[in-house]
Structures are given as structure tokens and as C-alpha cells.
Amino acid sequence: MTPSTNTAPLAPQQEQLHADELFRPDTCRNVVAMRVTMSGPVDVDALDRAVRLLGERQAMLRAGVGVDDLGDPVLAVAGATPTLTRLAAAPTAVAALASEPFGCLAGPLVRFTWWPVTASTSTLLVSAHHLVLDGASGPLLVDGLAAGYRAAAEDPVPDYRAYATERAGRAWAPGEDDADRHWSDYLAGIAGAPLWPPRQGAVGAGSVRRRLDPGTAARLTEFAAAHRVSPMALVLAGTAAAVATETARDDLLIGVAYADRDAEYDRTIGNFVDVLPVRMPAPQDRAAAPLGLLPDAREGLLNLLEYGDVPSSRIFRRAGLRNPIEVSVSMRRAWEHSVVVGDSTWTMSELVLAQSPYPCSVDVAERQDGGLEIAVHHDRTRLDDGAAHRILAVLTDQLALGKTRSGGTTQHAGSCASGNMRRSILSGDGPRRIGPR
């Protein structure tokens, strides 16, 4: 379905990202970037045409943020398509180019930059604002470019604006139903004091990472299966234990990245993520966490199964709260994707992934080698680097089932990344719209 207007309401997570952008303009926090390594010959003119064609097919690649007649922010889709910038050689600072802020949110909020590396290899850098791209959109973008490069005919793609309009309808539908009452009861009495008060003089954002090797990750999956929960439940329980240890708070509200992408929008690029609240207690026995919190994590995720269709903006408005989430959790597949295009192979890898607009966000990425990469992203105006490292250390120890205490199973690296992936709550990958991602 193609909307008859060039504007649409912002989806809930886009509202949060837009508010964060207004509060922190000209930062890299909300930039998503991928590197596409092209091995083999590339017709750069054909690639330029593919970029333009993809922009014509995918409305969000032409989208920005405008205002309606009342002055409220809306998605605004322009006629201008993104274009390809060609460089004669690799830039001296690829990371800086990848994370360059978009500043003004007028569209298009995506950049394509190509340069040669050797006689037979080249690089395509794709940078976008997180408003227009979620974790599942990365492979779709590369596949769409490949189809345009081949000049392959494709069926029309459902327009993201139709989804955003329908989601807004759910957010503002009149009346009250069982889901509204459920969420109001669920959030009753939640602590109003911030986990981390503002830090005077602090600026910027930071990230810390560790990796779990494939063997440790496999043991985690086996442990989850033995306790009849998904790895996501372990991530949620471990995050609750780590944050409770750091803050001494005994009633936590953790936002879980929830995939609201229907099968209808399987090929549509856009941000289909909402972050919904799960209430978690502090572990009674910290030495036994996350096992002691698994029932609470499982119950919280099952709650999303039943009531996740309610947009977060409606949940908090009906409960009389400003968005109280300070910690978010996501689990996803790492952006590792390849496609054969004629005599060349295009391999996508993540370079920069947008941080969450929350003070602390935990991102767990499943890598192709079977290992896990665990990242804690933090807003330094609320959370200092030491606290982020402590949260990461406790969480990694939880997910490694205590194996990191003797060392050796994790690797540490700094980063600026975040993202999401589809996950079934009760098992591994599952149908859309039933799990965090």
C-alpha cells in the first residue's frame, strides 16, 4: 500500500530518537553505518543507478523529519533520492566519515560512499540515521542494491509510511481496553527516582565490549534450553542482576527491543523497533543470578507476547508516566551478510551501529562464528565509564555462567555500536512480532 501523502507520523522509537537528537544535536549517537567489501569488478555507474533505484523503491531512504500544521514532528518523504559519492582513494579516517552526524534531519538521511582499495576490490560505505534503518534493514539494503545493480525486476515494496500510520493509530485509538488496564497495573508504583542522576560537567557517550567464544556461547544456549527459556531471557536476567548490583535498586524497569515487523513488511527498509518495558526485581541471591531471575525474565517476555502490540508511547501516556526506561536490552544477529553480484561478491559488515537513546543499553550480537559480542553503551552525562565497565563485567560473568572468573573466555574492546535482531521469546529464531530483537 502506498500512502496518498508524503508525510506520516513518527513511530514510537522514532519519536524517542528524534527527541534524543534535539537534546544532543550533531552527535554520532544515532548513526548506523555498514561497510560493504566488494571483491571483484564493479561498474561504478551501475552502482550509482542501483543507489538511485533503491531510493525510489524504499520510501525511508528519501525520508527526513518535518513538521505538520500543528508544529509536531512527522516523517517527511521527499522526491530526492540518495546518490553515490565516489572517492579516488580510501579516506584517511573511515570511522569519522562513517559516524558523521546528519545534523539537520531533513532527508535523505542516508549516505553512500564508494572508493577503490586494490585493482580487484573496493569498498561501499553506507551511513544512515537510525530513524530510517533498523537491524533487519541492513541485509535488505544490500540485497536491494544488488538487485538494482543487476537491473533485476522486483515486485513493489510495501511503503513504511503505511506501517507508521497504522502504528500511530494504535497509539492514539480512543477508549480503554484490557491491554491498557494491564499496562497501567503493571507499571503501578514503579520508582520515579532516576537510576543515575545527571553528572555535572560530563559530556559524550561511550561503549565497552567483550566477546564470548563460540564454545561458551554454545554452553549458554544449552543452559537456556535446559531451563526452558530463550537466550534472551538469560540476557535480560543477567542485565537485571548487573544493574541491580551497580545501583542497589530492587525494582528495575528494563526496556526490551521488540520487533514490530509483520511478514507484510519483510522487504521494507525502516525502523520497526519499539522498546517495551519489563519489570525485574533485584536477585535475592546475587551469587545465584541469573538463574534466580529466570522466572521473572520469562514472565516479563511472555507479557510482551500478549501485550506487545500496544505502542510504548500509549503505554506510558495511559500510565501517566514520561518514558521511565533508563536501561534497554537487545539481542540480534551481527551484520554479516554476503551476496554474489555477477563476478563480484559483496560482503556487508557493521562499522558503526547507533546507540540507544537511553542512559545504558545492552546489545548482544550473535556472530557467524557462533560467538557472542556483548556491548554496554552509555551516556556519560548519566553513567561514568567505570560503572559501564562494572555492568559489563557482571553481565559477561553471568552469561558465561561464571567461567570468566578464571579468565580466558572473553576478549575486551572499545566500540560505538548497538542494534537489534529478531528473537523468539521461548526458543531461537521465531515468527515476527512475538519477540525482542
Side-chain angles (χ1 to χ4, degrees):
M1 179 173 66
T2 301
S4 59
T5 176
N6 289 330
T7 63
L10 295 175
Q13 184 67 356
Q14 290 172 328
E15 292 179 349
Q16 191 74 13
L17 289 165
H18 179 252
D20 186 63
E21 191 75 26
L22 293 178
F23 184 65
R24 300 177 181 85
D26 298 325
T27 72
C28 74
R29 286 171 52 88
N30 299 321
V31 175
V32 183
M34 70 184 80
R35 184 202 306 265
V36 182
T37 300
M38 298 175 161
S39 303
V42 173
D43 181 336
V44 186
D45 290 334
L47 181 60
D48 188 19
R49 289 192 297 270
V51 168
R52 295 171 190 270
L53 180 61
L54 183 63
E56 293 171 3
R57 287 177 51 78
Q58 298 280 359
M60 289 307 288
L61 299 186
R62 308 191 308 275
V65 178
V67 293
D68 62 15
D69 294 340
L70 299 177
D72 294 325
V74 293
L75 284 176
V77 177
T81 60
T83 58
L84 181 68
T85 299
R86 311 180 195 197
L87 302 180
T92 55
V94 175
L97 177 63
S99 58
E100 183 180 343
F102 283 86
C104 174
L105 291 181
L109 297 177
V110 60
R111 294 186 293 257
F112 296 84
T113 308
W114 177 91
W115 63 84
V117 178
T118 69
S120 59
T121 61
S122 57
T123 294
L124 175 67
L125 175 66
V126 184
S127 300
H129 197 286
H130 196 23
L131 272 161
V132 302
L133 214 66
D134 63 12
S137 294
L140 294 176
L141 189 149
V142 174
D143 289 343
L145 281 176
Y149 185 90
R150 301 188 196 104
E154 290 191 295
D155 293 333
V157 174
D159 196 302
Y160 180 87
R161 285 169 289 179
Y163 161 79
T165 300
E166 186 273 337
R167 188 70 172 170
R170 279 187 265 162
W172 293 97
E176 184 179 54
D177 56 21
D178 290 342
D180 289 324
R181 288 187 287 274
H182 164 81
W183 282 114
S184 293
D185 292 343
Y186 185 77
L187 296 174
I190 193 71
L195 292 173
W196 298 285
R199 301 174 61 233
Q200 296 298 322
V203 295
S207 295
V208 289
R209 281 186 179 182
R210 287 188 179 179
R211 286 187 182 178
L212 296 184
D213 61 50
T216 303
R219 287 191 294 274
L220 182 149
T221 301
E222 293 167 1
F223 181 86
H227 289 84
R228 300 177 61 84
V229 298
S230 70
M232 181 65 198
L234 277 174
V235 172
L236 177 57
T239 299
V243 174
T245 298
E246 181 64 28
T247 65
R249 188 70 63 83
D250 59 5
D251 185 12
L252 299 172
L253 196 67
I254 296 178
V256 174
Y258 179 87
D260 195 47
R261 184 188 287 266
D262 270 340
E264 176 186 0
Y265 294 101
D266 251 356
R267 296 178 298 119
T268 301
I269 291 173
N271 191 326
F272 292 84
V273 176
D274 201 356
V275 177
L276 301 180
V278 171
R279 204 163 178 173
M280 293 290 294
Q284 296 297 314
D285 180 0
R286 300 190 191 279
L291 183 59
L293 289 177
L294 280 182
D296 299 284
R298 188 175 190 275
E299 181 180 351
L301 295 176
L302 286 172
N303 179 62
L304 299 190
L305 273 176
E306 188 166 358
Y307 299 106
D309 274 352
V310 182
S312 58
S313 54
R314 182 183 181 98
I315 290 171
F316 297 130
R317 187 175 66 254
R318 291 300 180 98
L321 298 169
R322 296 185 63 183
N323 191 329
I325 292 174
E326 296 182 75
V327 180
S328 67
V329 176
S330 62
M331 193 168 186
R332 62 183 177 88
R333 284 198 182 95
W335 274 7
E336 297 168 316
H337 180 68
S338 294
V339 59
V340 176
V341 186
D343 294 329
S344 64
T345 300
W346 298 0
T347 302
M348 177 189 78
S349 59
E350 60 190 54
L351 191 58
V352 174
L353 286 176
Q355 295 195 21
S356 164
Y358 304 101
C360 177
S361 61
V362 172
D363 172 46
V364 179
E366 182 182 359
R367 302 182 60 85
Q368 282 187 341
D369 64 4
L372 294 176
E373 187 159 275
I374 306 166
V376 175
H377 312 295
H378 60 291
D379 179 354
R380 290 193 175 107
T381 68
R382 300 284 298 281
L383 193 66
D384 63 38
D385 293 346
H389 277 282
R390 290 190 295 271
I391 290 171
L392 178 65
V394 173
L395 173 59
T396 305
D397 191 60
Q398 301 285 339
L399 295 185
L401 308 179
K403 301 297 182 182
T404 59
R405 295 189 186 110
S406 58
T409 62
T410 65
Q411 301 172 356
H412 175 269
S415 160
C416 181
S418 170
N420 299 298
M421 130 175 162
R422 281 182 205 139
R423 273 284 175 175
S424 166
I425 287 172
L426 297 179
S427 57
D429 293 336
R432 293 148 189 82
R433 297 191 59 182
I434 69 164
R437 55 151 231 126

